[in-house]
mmCIF file of all heavy atoms in Angstrom:
data_model
loop_
_atom_site.group_PDB
_atom_site.id
_atom_site.type_symbol
_atom_site.label_atom_id
_atom_site.label_comp_id
_atom_site.label_asym_id
_atom_site.label_seq_id
_atom_site.Cartn_x
_atom_site.Cartn_y
_atom_site.Cartn_z
ATOM 1 N N MET A 750 -1.832 6.419 -14.034
ATOM 2 C CA MET A 750 -0.769 6.779 -13.076
ATOM 3 C C MET A 750 0.097 5.546 -12.816
ATOM 4 O O MET A 750 -0.424 4.501 -12.475
ATOM 5 C CB MET A 750 -1.412 7.237 -11.763
ATOM 6 C CG MET A 750 -0.397 7.585 -10.702
ATOM 7 S SD MET A 750 -1.160 7.770 -9.080
ATOM 8 C CE MET A 750 -2.495 8.916 -9.424
ATOM 9 N N PRO A 751 1.370 5.654 -13.003
ATOM 10 C CA PRO A 751 2.229 4.506 -12.703
ATOM 11 C C PRO A 751 2.275 4.249 -11.209
ATOM 12 O O PRO A 751 2.442 5.178 -10.426
ATOM 13 C CB PRO A 751 3.589 4.924 -13.237
ATOM 14 C CG PRO A 751 3.561 6.411 -13.256
ATOM 15 C CD PRO A 751 2.117 6.797 -13.487
ATOM 16 N N LEU A 752 2.122 3.003 -10.861
ATOM 17 C CA LEU A 752 2.228 2.643 -9.458
ATOM 18 C C LEU A 752 3.641 2.167 -9.171
ATOM 19 O O LEU A 752 4.376 1.815 -10.083
ATOM 20 C CB LEU A 752 1.251 1.527 -9.130
ATOM 21 C CG LEU A 752 -0.228 1.859 -9.370
ATOM 22 C CD1 LEU A 752 -1.079 0.647 -9.047
ATOM 23 C CD2 LEU A 752 -0.668 3.052 -8.562
ATOM 24 N N GLY A 753 4.007 2.160 -7.927
ATOM 25 C CA GLY A 753 5.251 1.520 -7.558
ATOM 26 C C GLY A 753 6.396 2.458 -7.316
ATOM 27 O O GLY A 753 7.516 2.014 -7.099
ATOM 28 N N LYS A 754 6.131 3.769 -7.368
ATOM 29 C CA LYS A 754 7.198 4.700 -7.034
ATOM 30 C C LYS A 754 6.744 5.570 -5.874
ATOM 31 O O LYS A 754 5.594 5.992 -5.840
ATOM 32 C CB LYS A 754 7.513 5.612 -8.224
ATOM 33 C CG LYS A 754 8.154 4.870 -9.371
ATOM 34 C CD LYS A 754 8.508 5.844 -10.479
ATOM 35 C CE LYS A 754 9.192 5.138 -11.627
ATOM 36 N NZ LYS A 754 9.533 6.061 -12.720
ATOM 37 N N PRO A 755 7.645 5.868 -4.974
ATOM 38 C CA PRO A 755 7.292 6.825 -3.936
ATOM 39 C C PRO A 755 7.024 8.167 -4.586
ATOM 40 O O PRO A 755 7.657 8.521 -5.575
ATOM 41 C CB PRO A 755 8.536 6.906 -3.052
ATOM 42 C CG PRO A 755 9.420 5.820 -3.482
ATOM 43 C CD PRO A 755 9.030 5.424 -4.869
ATOM 44 N N GLY A 756 6.111 8.900 -4.056
ATOM 45 C CA GLY A 756 5.815 10.204 -4.640
ATOM 46 C C GLY A 756 4.334 10.470 -4.554
ATOM 47 O O GLY A 756 3.832 10.679 -3.470
ATOM 48 N N PRO A 757 3.635 10.427 -5.691
ATOM 49 C CA PRO A 757 2.192 10.674 -5.624
ATOM 50 C C PRO A 757 1.520 9.694 -4.689
ATOM 51 O O PRO A 757 1.794 8.497 -4.749
ATOM 52 C CB PRO A 757 1.742 10.446 -7.061
ATOM 53 C CG PRO A 757 2.951 10.642 -7.891
ATOM 54 C CD PRO A 757 4.102 10.191 -7.033
ATOM 55 N N ASP A 758 0.636 10.193 -3.875
ATOM 56 C CA ASP A 758 -0.052 9.321 -2.942
ATOM 57 C C ASP A 758 -1.019 8.422 -3.698
ATOM 58 O O ASP A 758 -1.661 8.850 -4.638
ATOM 59 C CB ASP A 758 -0.800 10.159 -1.911
ATOM 60 C CG ASP A 758 -1.391 9.294 -0.817
ATOM 61 O OD1 ASP A 758 -0.731 8.328 -0.410
ATOM 62 O OD2 ASP A 758 -2.501 9.589 -0.377
ATOM 63 N N VAL A 759 -1.098 7.176 -3.288
ATOM 64 C CA VAL A 759 -1.983 6.198 -3.903
ATOM 65 C C VAL A 759 -2.916 5.659 -2.831
ATOM 66 O O VAL A 759 -2.485 5.351 -1.729
ATOM 67 C CB VAL A 759 -1.160 5.041 -4.515
ATOM 68 C CG1 VAL A 759 -2.081 4.015 -5.145
ATOM 69 C CG2 VAL A 759 -0.169 5.571 -5.541
ATOM 70 N N ASP A 760 -4.175 5.571 -3.178
ATOM 71 C CA ASP A 760 -5.157 5.052 -2.241
ATOM 72 C C ASP A 760 -5.432 3.577 -2.521
ATOM 73 O O ASP A 760 -5.109 3.068 -3.595
ATOM 74 C CB ASP A 760 -6.480 5.812 -2.384
ATOM 75 C CG ASP A 760 -6.323 7.277 -2.031
ATOM 76 O OD1 ASP A 760 -5.507 7.599 -1.153
ATOM 77 O OD2 ASP A 760 -7.022 8.088 -2.639
ATOM 78 N N CYS A 761 -6.111 2.940 -1.590
ATOM 79 C CA CYS A 761 -6.487 1.543 -1.781
ATOM 80 C C CYS A 761 -7.320 1.357 -3.043
ATOM 81 O O CYS A 761 -7.266 0.301 -3.677
ATOM 82 C CB CYS A 761 -7.279 1.048 -0.569
ATOM 83 S SG CYS A 761 -6.286 0.914 0.932
ATOM 84 N N THR A 762 -8.078 2.359 -3.409
ATOM 85 C CA THR A 762 -8.951 2.256 -4.585
ATOM 86 C C THR A 762 -8.160 2.076 -5.881
ATOM 87 O O THR A 762 -8.717 1.685 -6.897
ATOM 88 C CB THR A 762 -9.839 3.500 -4.721
ATOM 89 O OG1 THR A 762 -9.007 4.661 -4.734
ATOM 90 C CG2 THR A 762 -10.799 3.604 -3.559
ATOM 91 N N ALA A 763 -6.870 2.377 -5.851
ATOM 92 C CA ALA A 763 -6.040 2.263 -7.046
ATOM 93 C C ALA A 763 -5.633 0.822 -7.333
ATOM 94 O O ALA A 763 -5.167 0.523 -8.438
ATOM 95 C CB ALA A 763 -4.797 3.122 -6.896
ATOM 96 N N TYR A 764 -5.835 -0.063 -6.371
ATOM 97 C CA TYR A 764 -5.378 -1.444 -6.531
ATOM 98 C C TYR A 764 -6.542 -2.363 -6.864
ATOM 99 O O TYR A 764 -7.671 -2.121 -6.448
ATOM 100 C CB TYR A 764 -4.685 -1.916 -5.245
ATOM 101 C CG TYR A 764 -3.482 -1.078 -4.903
ATOM 102 C CD1 TYR A 764 -3.562 -0.091 -3.934
ATOM 103 C CD2 TYR A 764 -2.284 -1.262 -5.573
ATOM 104 C CE1 TYR A 764 -2.456 0.695 -3.637
ATOM 105 C CE2 TYR A 764 -1.183 -0.479 -5.281
ATOM 106 C CZ TYR A 764 -1.272 0.498 -4.316
ATOM 107 O OH TYR A 764 -0.192 1.281 -4.031
ATOM 108 N N ASN A 765 -6.248 -3.422 -7.593
ATOM 109 C CA ASN A 765 -7.289 -4.358 -8.001
ATOM 110 C C ASN A 765 -7.675 -5.331 -6.898
ATOM 111 O O ASN A 765 -8.777 -5.876 -6.904
ATOM 112 C CB ASN A 765 -6.834 -5.164 -9.218
ATOM 113 C CG ASN A 765 -6.741 -4.292 -10.456
ATOM 114 O OD1 ASN A 765 -7.527 -3.368 -10.626
ATOM 115 N ND2 ASN A 765 -5.776 -4.575 -11.306
ATOM 116 N N ASN A 766 -6.752 -5.550 -5.988
ATOM 117 C CA ASN A 766 -7.036 -6.510 -4.924
ATOM 118 C C ASN A 766 -6.061 -6.274 -3.770
ATOM 119 O O ASN A 766 -5.124 -5.475 -3.892
ATOM 120 C CB ASN A 766 -6.940 -7.954 -5.444
ATOM 121 C CG ASN A 766 -5.625 -8.218 -6.146
ATOM 122 O OD1 ASN A 766 -4.557 -8.051 -5.540
ATOM 123 N ND2 ASN A 766 -5.673 -8.593 -7.407
ATOM 124 N N GLN A 767 -6.296 -6.965 -2.682
ATOM 125 C CA GLN A 767 -5.469 -6.758 -1.493
ATOM 126 C C GLN A 767 -4.034 -7.163 -1.748
ATOM 127 O O GLN A 767 -3.107 -6.536 -1.247
ATOM 128 C CB GLN A 767 -6.067 -7.526 -0.315
ATOM 129 C CG GLN A 767 -5.520 -7.104 1.046
ATOM 130 C CD GLN A 767 -4.242 -7.839 1.424
ATOM 131 O OE1 GLN A 767 -4.015 -8.966 0.981
ATOM 132 N NE2 GLN A 767 -3.402 -7.206 2.228
ATOM 133 N N GLY A 768 -3.846 -8.215 -2.531
ATOM 134 C CA GLY A 768 -2.493 -8.673 -2.816
ATOM 135 C C GLY A 768 -1.657 -7.615 -3.530
ATOM 136 O O GLY A 768 -0.466 -7.472 -3.257
ATOM 137 N N ALA A 769 -2.287 -6.898 -4.436
ATOM 138 C CA ALA A 769 -1.579 -5.846 -5.166
ATOM 139 C C ALA A 769 -1.185 -4.713 -4.226
ATOM 140 O O ALA A 769 -0.078 -4.174 -4.298
ATOM 141 C CB ALA A 769 -2.447 -5.315 -6.301
ATOM 142 N N ALA A 770 -2.101 -4.353 -3.350
ATOM 143 C CA ALA A 770 -1.795 -3.320 -2.363
ATOM 144 C C ALA A 770 -0.699 -3.796 -1.409
ATOM 145 O O ALA A 770 0.222 -3.049 -1.071
ATOM 146 C CB ALA A 770 -3.054 -2.959 -1.576
ATOM 147 N N GLN A 771 -0.794 -5.043 -1.010
ATOM 148 C CA GLN A 771 0.200 -5.604 -0.093
ATOM 149 C C GLN A 771 1.579 -5.627 -0.736
ATOM 150 O O GLN A 771 2.594 -5.358 -0.088
ATOM 151 C CB GLN A 771 -0.222 -7.033 0.300
ATOM 152 C CG GLN A 771 0.624 -7.617 1.425
ATOM 153 C CD GLN A 771 0.301 -6.959 2.753
ATOM 154 O OE1 GLN A 771 -0.849 -6.845 3.124
ATOM 155 N NE2 GLN A 771 1.312 -6.510 3.476
ATOM 156 N N TYR A 772 1.612 -5.945 -1.997
ATOM 157 C CA TYR A 772 2.884 -5.969 -2.727
ATOM 158 C C TYR A 772 3.554 -4.602 -2.675
ATOM 159 O O TYR A 772 4.754 -4.497 -2.400
ATOM 160 C CB TYR A 772 2.629 -6.382 -4.173
ATOM 161 C CG TYR A 772 3.880 -6.391 -5.019
ATOM 162 C CD1 TYR A 772 4.712 -7.505 -5.042
ATOM 163 C CD2 TYR A 772 4.227 -5.282 -5.793
ATOM 164 C CE1 TYR A 772 5.857 -7.515 -5.814
ATOM 165 C CE2 TYR A 772 5.379 -5.283 -6.571
ATOM 166 C CZ TYR A 772 6.188 -6.406 -6.571
ATOM 167 O OH TYR A 772 7.328 -6.409 -7.326
ATOM 168 N N GLU A 773 2.803 -3.562 -2.917
ATOM 169 C CA GLU A 773 3.357 -2.222 -2.882
ATOM 170 C C GLU A 773 3.781 -1.826 -1.475
ATOM 171 O O GLU A 773 4.826 -1.211 -1.267
ATOM 172 C CB GLU A 773 2.340 -1.213 -3.416
ATOM 173 C CG GLU A 773 2.195 -1.274 -4.902
ATOM 174 C CD GLU A 773 3.499 -0.913 -5.604
ATOM 175 O OE1 GLU A 773 3.951 0.228 -5.491
ATOM 176 O OE2 GLU A 773 4.060 -1.805 -6.252
ATOM 177 N N TYR A 774 2.936 -2.171 -0.536
ATOM 178 C CA TYR A 774 3.263 -1.874 0.858
ATOM 179 C C TYR A 774 4.579 -2.543 1.253
ATOM 180 O O TYR A 774 5.482 -1.897 1.788
ATOM 181 C CB TYR A 774 2.109 -2.345 1.751
ATOM 182 C CG TYR A 774 2.379 -2.193 3.221
ATOM 183 C CD1 TYR A 774 2.076 -0.999 3.879
ATOM 184 C CD2 TYR A 774 2.924 -3.239 3.957
ATOM 185 C CE1 TYR A 774 2.327 -0.860 5.232
ATOM 186 C CE2 TYR A 774 3.170 -3.105 5.314
ATOM 187 C CZ TYR A 774 2.879 -1.913 5.946
ATOM 188 O OH TYR A 774 3.130 -1.780 7.281
ATOM 189 N N ASP A 775 4.679 -3.838 0.964
ATOM 190 C CA ASP A 775 5.879 -4.590 1.349
ATOM 191 C C ASP A 775 7.119 -4.106 0.594
ATOM 192 O O ASP A 775 8.226 -4.149 1.119
ATOM 193 C CB ASP A 775 5.679 -6.078 1.069
ATOM 194 C CG ASP A 775 4.689 -6.725 2.022
ATOM 195 O OD1 ASP A 775 4.418 -6.144 3.081
ATOM 196 O OD2 ASP A 775 4.195 -7.824 1.683
ATOM 197 N N ARG A 776 6.898 -3.651 -0.601
ATOM 198 C CA ARG A 776 8.001 -3.198 -1.441
ATOM 199 C C ARG A 776 8.671 -1.941 -0.871
ATOM 200 O O ARG A 776 9.882 -1.798 -0.893
ATOM 201 C CB ARG A 776 7.436 -2.890 -2.825
ATOM 202 C CG ARG A 776 8.443 -2.475 -3.857
ATOM 203 C CD ARG A 776 7.706 -2.280 -5.155
ATOM 204 N NE ARG A 776 8.606 -1.926 -6.243
ATOM 205 C CZ ARG A 776 8.208 -1.652 -7.481
ATOM 206 N NH1 ARG A 776 6.933 -1.692 -7.764
ATOM 207 N NH2 ARG A 776 9.081 -1.346 -8.404
ATOM 208 N N TRP A 777 7.867 -1.046 -0.362
ATOM 209 C CA TRP A 777 8.401 0.238 0.075
ATOM 210 C C TRP A 777 8.568 0.383 1.578
ATOM 211 O O TRP A 777 9.308 1.252 2.032
ATOM 212 C CB TRP A 777 7.496 1.375 -0.422
ATOM 213 C CG TRP A 777 7.457 1.446 -1.903
ATOM 214 C CD1 TRP A 777 6.361 1.252 -2.706
ATOM 215 C CD2 TRP A 777 8.559 1.698 -2.788
ATOM 216 N NE1 TRP A 777 6.728 1.372 -4.019
ATOM 217 C CE2 TRP A 777 8.057 1.642 -4.100
ATOM 218 C CE3 TRP A 777 9.924 1.958 -2.582
ATOM 219 C CZ2 TRP A 777 8.882 1.849 -5.209
ATOM 220 C CZ3 TRP A 777 10.736 2.153 -3.696
ATOM 221 C CH2 TRP A 777 10.210 2.099 -4.986
ATOM 222 N N TYR A 778 7.872 -0.447 2.314
ATOM 223 C CA TYR A 778 7.867 -0.260 3.764
ATOM 224 C C TYR A 778 9.262 -0.235 4.394
ATOM 225 O O TYR A 778 9.535 0.631 5.229
ATOM 226 C CB TYR A 778 6.988 -1.317 4.444
ATOM 227 C CG TYR A 778 6.833 -1.073 5.919
ATOM 228 C CD1 TYR A 778 5.923 -0.130 6.393
ATOM 229 C CD2 TYR A 778 7.622 -1.757 6.837
ATOM 230 C CE1 TYR A 778 5.796 0.119 7.736
ATOM 231 C CE2 TYR A 778 7.503 -1.515 8.196
ATOM 232 C CZ TYR A 778 6.584 -0.574 8.642
ATOM 233 O OH TYR A 778 6.481 -0.328 9.970
ATOM 234 N N PRO A 779 10.173 -1.145 4.022
ATOM 235 C CA PRO A 779 11.488 -1.154 4.690
ATOM 236 C C PRO A 779 12.274 0.139 4.525
ATOM 237 O O PRO A 779 13.060 0.507 5.395
ATOM 238 C CB PRO A 779 12.216 -2.325 4.012
ATOM 239 C CG PRO A 779 11.122 -3.219 3.532
ATOM 240 C CD PRO A 779 10.026 -2.279 3.104
ATOM 241 N N THR A 780 12.078 0.815 3.428
ATOM 242 C CA THR A 780 12.829 2.040 3.156
ATOM 243 C C THR A 780 12.057 3.297 3.518
ATOM 244 O O THR A 780 12.598 4.218 4.143
ATOM 245 C CB THR A 780 13.199 2.111 1.659
ATOM 246 O OG1 THR A 780 13.895 0.921 1.303
ATOM 247 C CG2 THR A 780 14.089 3.322 1.388
ATOM 248 N N TYR A 781 10.779 3.327 3.143
ATOM 249 C CA TYR A 781 10.015 4.568 3.249
ATOM 250 C C TYR A 781 8.902 4.529 4.278
ATOM 251 O O TYR A 781 8.261 5.546 4.527
ATOM 252 C CB TYR A 781 9.393 4.903 1.896
ATOM 253 C CG TYR A 781 10.416 5.170 0.811
ATOM 254 C CD1 TYR A 781 10.735 4.190 -0.125
ATOM 255 C CD2 TYR A 781 11.062 6.405 0.735
ATOM 256 C CE1 TYR A 781 11.675 4.431 -1.122
ATOM 257 C CE2 TYR A 781 12.001 6.642 -0.259
ATOM 258 C CZ TYR A 781 12.302 5.660 -1.178
ATOM 259 O OH TYR A 781 13.229 5.892 -2.150
ATOM 260 N N GLY A 782 8.649 3.346 4.817
ATOM 261 C CA GLY A 782 7.486 3.218 5.677
ATOM 262 C C GLY A 782 6.223 3.121 4.832
ATOM 263 O O GLY A 782 6.287 2.867 3.626
ATOM 264 N N ASP A 783 5.097 3.346 5.465
ATOM 265 C CA ASP A 783 3.815 3.220 4.776
ATOM 266 C C ASP A 783 3.518 4.517 4.030
ATOM 267 O O ASP A 783 2.648 5.293 4.405
ATOM 268 C CB ASP A 783 2.727 2.896 5.808
ATOM 269 C CG ASP A 783 1.388 2.607 5.164
ATOM 270 O OD1 ASP A 783 1.335 2.440 3.937
ATOM 271 O OD2 ASP A 783 0.400 2.561 5.920
ATOM 272 N N ILE A 784 4.236 4.725 2.938
ATOM 273 C CA ILE A 784 4.167 6.011 2.238
ATOM 274 C C ILE A 784 2.789 6.304 1.671
ATOM 275 O O ILE A 784 2.411 7.459 1.538
ATOM 276 C CB ILE A 784 5.198 6.093 1.089
ATOM 277 C CG1 ILE A 784 5.074 4.899 0.145
ATOM 278 C CG2 ILE A 784 6.593 6.214 1.662
ATOM 279 C CD1 ILE A 784 5.904 5.052 -1.124
ATOM 280 N N HIS A 785 2.054 5.276 1.332
ATOM 281 C CA HIS A 785 0.730 5.496 0.749
ATOM 282 C C HIS A 785 -0.383 5.377 1.795
ATOM 283 O O HIS A 785 -1.558 5.426 1.443
ATOM 284 C CB HIS A 785 0.473 4.498 -0.385
ATOM 285 C CG HIS A 785 1.417 4.653 -1.535
ATOM 286 N ND1 HIS A 785 1.708 5.868 -2.106
ATOM 287 C CD2 HIS A 785 2.160 3.742 -2.210
ATOM 288 C CE1 HIS A 785 2.569 5.680 -3.111
ATOM 289 N NE2 HIS A 785 2.865 4.403 -3.171
ATOM 290 N N ARG A 786 0.012 5.167 3.037
ATOM 291 C CA ARG A 786 -0.956 5.028 4.129
ATOM 292 C C ARG A 786 -1.983 3.948 3.797
ATOM 293 O O ARG A 786 -3.192 4.160 3.891
ATOM 294 C CB ARG A 786 -1.644 6.368 4.409
ATOM 295 C CG ARG A 786 -0.638 7.439 4.856
ATOM 296 C CD ARG A 786 -1.314 8.680 5.374
ATOM 297 N NE ARG A 786 -2.151 9.335 4.378
ATOM 298 C CZ ARG A 786 -1.685 10.151 3.424
ATOM 299 N NH1 ARG A 786 -0.406 10.444 3.365
ATOM 300 N NH2 ARG A 786 -2.513 10.690 2.560
ATOM 301 N N LEU A 787 -1.452 2.816 3.377
ATOM 302 C CA LEU A 787 -2.327 1.701 3.025
ATOM 303 C C LEU A 787 -2.699 0.867 4.237
ATOM 304 O O LEU A 787 -3.631 0.069 4.178
ATOM 305 C CB LEU A 787 -1.631 0.802 1.990
ATOM 306 C CG LEU A 787 -1.251 1.488 0.674
ATOM 307 C CD1 LEU A 787 -0.524 0.511 -0.230
ATOM 308 C CD2 LEU A 787 -2.461 2.072 -0.022
ATOM 309 N N ASP A 788 -1.963 1.043 5.305
ATOM 310 C CA ASP A 788 -2.203 0.241 6.504
ATOM 311 C C ASP A 788 -2.579 1.170 7.654
ATOM 312 O O ASP A 788 -1.751 1.567 8.464
ATOM 313 C CB ASP A 788 -0.942 -0.560 6.840
ATOM 314 C CG ASP A 788 -1.108 -1.360 8.102
ATOM 315 O OD1 ASP A 788 -2.246 -1.749 8.421
ATOM 316 O OD2 ASP A 788 -0.093 -1.579 8.787
ATOM 317 N N HIS A 789 -3.852 1.503 7.718
ATOM 318 C CA HIS A 789 -4.310 2.502 8.685
ATOM 319 C C HIS A 789 -4.208 2.013 10.125
ATOM 320 O O HIS A 789 -4.019 2.803 11.036
ATOM 321 C CB HIS A 789 -5.762 2.895 8.383
ATOM 322 C CG HIS A 789 -5.904 3.580 7.061
ATOM 323 N ND1 HIS A 789 -5.670 4.917 6.892
ATOM 324 C CD2 HIS A 789 -6.212 3.093 5.836
ATOM 325 C CE1 HIS A 789 -5.856 5.230 5.617
ATOM 326 N NE2 HIS A 789 -6.176 4.156 4.946
ATOM 327 N N ASP A 790 -4.385 0.722 10.329
ATOM 328 C CA ASP A 790 -4.403 0.222 11.702
ATOM 329 C C ASP A 790 -3.056 -0.335 12.157
ATOM 330 O O ASP A 790 -2.935 -0.829 13.267
ATOM 331 C CB ASP A 790 -5.521 -0.803 11.899
ATOM 332 C CG ASP A 790 -5.391 -2.003 10.975
ATOM 333 O OD1 ASP A 790 -4.410 -2.058 10.197
ATOM 334 O OD2 ASP A 790 -6.263 -2.874 11.033
ATOM 335 N N GLY A 791 -2.052 -0.267 11.278
ATOM 336 C CA GLY A 791 -0.701 -0.606 11.705
ATOM 337 C C GLY A 791 -0.420 -2.077 11.921
ATOM 338 O O GLY A 791 0.517 -2.424 12.636
ATOM 339 N N ASP A 792 -1.220 -2.953 11.307
ATOM 340 C CA ASP A 792 -0.971 -4.389 11.491
ATOM 341 C C ASP A 792 -0.146 -4.996 10.347
ATOM 342 O O ASP A 792 0.002 -6.204 10.254
ATOM 343 C CB ASP A 792 -2.289 -5.149 11.676
ATOM 344 C CG ASP A 792 -3.164 -5.142 10.424
ATOM 345 O OD1 ASP A 792 -2.810 -4.468 9.434
ATOM 346 O OD2 ASP A 792 -4.215 -5.802 10.453
ATOM 347 N N HIS A 793 0.340 -4.145 9.465
ATOM 348 C CA HIS A 793 1.188 -4.550 8.328
ATOM 349 C C HIS A 793 0.440 -5.341 7.269
ATOM 350 O O HIS A 793 1.055 -5.996 6.435
ATOM 351 C CB HIS A 793 2.439 -5.324 8.800
ATOM 352 C CG HIS A 793 3.268 -4.534 9.765
ATOM 353 N ND1 HIS A 793 3.977 -3.412 9.405
ATOM 354 C CD2 HIS A 793 3.458 -4.695 11.098
ATOM 355 C CE1 HIS A 793 4.582 -2.926 10.479
ATOM 356 N NE2 HIS A 793 4.284 -3.688 11.518
ATOM 357 N N ARG A 794 -0.864 -5.244 7.290
ATOM 358 C CA ARG A 794 -1.661 -5.810 6.206
ATOM 359 C C ARG A 794 -2.300 -4.631 5.483
ATOM 360 O O ARG A 794 -3.098 -3.893 6.079
ATOM 361 C CB ARG A 794 -2.732 -6.760 6.754
ATOM 362 C CG ARG A 794 -2.125 -7.980 7.436
ATOM 363 C CD ARG A 794 -3.182 -8.907 8.000
ATOM 364 N NE ARG A 794 -4.031 -9.416 6.946
ATOM 365 C CZ ARG A 794 -5.370 -9.462 7.017
ATOM 366 N NH1 ARG A 794 -6.010 -9.000 8.061
ATOM 367 N NH2 ARG A 794 -6.068 -9.952 6.016
ATOM 368 N N ALA A 795 -1.949 -4.468 4.210
ATOM 369 C CA ALA A 795 -2.369 -3.280 3.469
ATOM 370 C C ALA A 795 -3.798 -3.412 2.960
ATOM 371 O O ALA A 795 -4.160 -4.410 2.342
ATOM 372 C CB ALA A 795 -1.421 -3.056 2.294
ATOM 373 N N CYS A 796 -4.609 -2.394 3.202
ATOM 374 C CA CYS A 796 -5.963 -2.283 2.619
ATOM 375 C C CYS A 796 -6.871 -3.466 2.931
ATOM 376 O O CYS A 796 -7.793 -3.736 2.166
ATOM 377 C CB CYS A 796 -5.872 -2.104 1.103
ATOM 378 S SG CYS A 796 -4.992 -0.636 0.584
ATOM 379 N N GLU A 797 -6.617 -4.150 4.035
ATOM 380 C CA GLU A 797 -7.466 -5.320 4.290
ATOM 381 C C GLU A 797 -8.899 -4.915 4.643
ATOM 382 O O GLU A 797 -9.832 -5.677 4.368
ATOM 383 C CB GLU A 797 -6.870 -6.219 5.373
ATOM 384 C CG GLU A 797 -7.111 -5.778 6.801
ATOM 385 C CD GLU A 797 -6.134 -4.742 7.284
ATOM 386 O OE1 GLU A 797 -5.492 -4.077 6.464
ATOM 387 O OE2 GLU A 797 -6.009 -4.598 8.518
ATOM 388 N N GLU A 798 -9.086 -3.730 5.203
ATOM 389 C CA GLU A 798 -10.453 -3.291 5.480
ATOM 390 C C GLU A 798 -11.183 -2.956 4.180
ATOM 391 O O GLU A 798 -12.340 -3.286 3.996
ATOM 392 C CB GLU A 798 -10.473 -2.060 6.386
ATOM 393 C CG GLU A 798 -9.909 -2.303 7.764
ATOM 394 C CD GLU A 798 -8.478 -1.794 7.863
ATOM 395 O OE1 GLU A 798 -7.824 -1.631 6.813
ATOM 396 O OE2 GLU A 798 -8.042 -1.545 8.997
ATOM 397 N N TYR A 799 -10.461 -2.312 3.276
ATOM 398 C CA TYR A 799 -11.061 -1.898 2.008
ATOM 399 C C TYR A 799 -11.515 -3.099 1.184
ATOM 400 O O TYR A 799 -12.599 -3.104 0.610
ATOM 401 C CB TYR A 799 -10.072 -1.055 1.218
ATOM 402 C CG TYR A 799 -10.599 -0.611 -0.122
ATOM 403 C CD1 TYR A 799 -11.518 0.435 -0.221
ATOM 404 C CD2 TYR A 799 -10.198 -1.241 -1.290
ATOM 405 C CE1 TYR A 799 -12.022 0.836 -1.441
ATOM 406 C CE2 TYR A 799 -10.689 -0.847 -2.521
ATOM 407 C CZ TYR A 799 -11.602 0.180 -2.592
ATOM 408 O OH TYR A 799 -12.082 0.563 -3.810
ATOM 409 N N PHE A 800 -10.661 -4.116 1.128
ATOM 410 C CA PHE A 800 -10.987 -5.292 0.322
ATOM 411 C C PHE A 800 -11.761 -6.357 1.109
ATOM 412 O O PHE A 800 -12.149 -7.376 0.554
ATOM 413 C CB PHE A 800 -9.709 -5.888 -0.271
ATOM 414 C CG PHE A 800 -9.106 -5.004 -1.334
ATOM 415 C CD1 PHE A 800 -7.938 -4.302 -1.068
ATOM 416 C CD2 PHE A 800 -9.708 -4.860 -2.561
ATOM 417 C CE1 PHE A 800 -7.389 -3.466 -2.038
ATOM 418 C CE2 PHE A 800 -9.172 -4.027 -3.533
ATOM 419 C CZ PHE A 800 -8.006 -3.338 -3.278
ATOM 420 N N GLY A 801 -11.945 -6.104 2.382
ATOM 421 C CA GLY A 801 -12.750 -6.986 3.192
ATOM 422 C C GLY A 801 -12.093 -8.331 3.434
ATOM 423 O O GLY A 801 -12.781 -9.323 3.616
HETATM 424 CA CA1 CA B 1848 -4.087 -2.962 8.148
#
């Protein structure tokens, strides 16, 4: 599945590390918000719970 486009929902499990998830989050957040729901607690850090 290609990452990086709004559309199909992507979970934290799709990313290799927190930085990759953060990159996607930061890329889309200004326009679309947290489209993949990577930041459940709203602190603007994507998947930090998942990657510990
Ligand atoms: Ca978070």
Side-chain angles (χ1 to χ4, degrees):
M750 178 192 309
L752 300 178
K754 291 183 178 179
D758 187 38
V759 179
D760 297 327
C761 291
T762 55
Y764 300 101
N765 291 326
N766 53 58
Q767 195 274 333
Q771 189 72 50
Y772 178 85
E773 286 297 295
Y774 175 88
D775 289 342
R776 183 177 182 182
W777 297 116
Y778 186 80
T780 305
Y781 297 101
D783 186 12
I784 53 170
H785 297 312
R786 298 190 299 279
L787 300 178
D788 177 29
H789 295 277
D790 59 2
D792 66 355
H793 303 291
R794 296 179 62 226
C796 299
E797 81 277 20
E798 296 100 339
Y799 179 77
F800 290 108

